[in-house]
Amino acid sequence: MAAALEEKIGLKLTPATFKVESGKIKEFALAIGDLKEEYLSGEKVPPTFPTVIDFWSEGDSTSALLGVNMEKVLHGGQEYEYLAEIKAGDEITIAGEVENVYSKASMNFFVIKKEYVNQNGETVLIAKSTIIERH
């Protein structure tokens, strides 16, 4: 692995905070076509709602942090480990870091780990995503 690539392991994203609102929960449910009443009312959060938190929080640009060419980037995967419920009214702070970087088949793989902590200091979710940059 090239030294410059290896140096990205351990890079930290600047923490960002997002307030979970019932309106955003409803918007997301409508967007994905999951019309369960508990989602539309904001009573419960759909399982992939953390994507909204990632896109709407004012955090760092992951592509800028990694120095990748967005024209060559693919989403390689996403996994969520739920530790507690996320609900409307929560203020979620996301802290992330580059957990691993490797090259394979003329591509660079970046594994990003993020922890989502609520206003009570409770970790509610751990997420890992893989970003692929084609050469």
Side-chain angles (χ1 to χ4, degrees):
M1 174 175 13
L5 198 57
E6 194 172 82
E7 290 172 4
K8 295 186 187 302
I9 296 172
L11 285 177
K12 296 194 183 316
L13 297 166
T14 302
T17 301
F18 177 83
K19 178 149 180 144
V20 179
E21 299 172 350
S22 58
K24 274 283 179 235
I25 298 168
K26 179 180 180 178
E27 283 178 6
F28 183 70
L30 290 170
I32 63 172
D34 195 338
L35 306 181
K36 292 183 179 87
E37 182 55 38
E38 62 263 27
Y39 299 158
L40 297 176
S41 69
E43 182 183 324
K44 288 195 149 244
V45 174
T48 54
F49 186 79
T51 303
V52 173
I53 297 171
D54 285 343
F55 280 101
W56 282 91
S57 62
E58 304 259 337
D60 291 336
S61 163
T62 304
S63 60
L65 179 72
L66 297 175
V68 296
N69 178 347
M70 286 305 293
E71 293 178 1
K72 296 184 176 200
V73 167
L74 302 169
H75 180 69
Q78 186 78 40
E79 63 183 71
Y80 296 118
E81 178 184 354
Y82 296 93
L83 305 172
E85 188 176 359
I86 297 172
K87 45 194 175 304
D90 280 350
E91 280 198 26
I92 305 294
T93 299
I94 309 110
E97 75 174 275
V98 179
E99 186 176 72
N100 195 11
V101 178
Y102 58 94
S103 290
K104 182 167 86 173
S106 298
M107 295 180 280
N108 295 330
F109 292 75
F110 302 89
V111 180
I112 311 295
K113 178 181 177 183
K114 293 182 180 178
E115 291 190 13
Y116 298 68
V117 177
N118 68 16
Q119 67 280 1
N120 301 318
E122 179 182 20
T123 302
V124 293
L125 175 73
I126 296 173
K128 286 189 183 182
S129 59
T130 302
I131 297 168
I132 301 169
E133 180 184 34
R134 297 170 287 135
H135 292 191

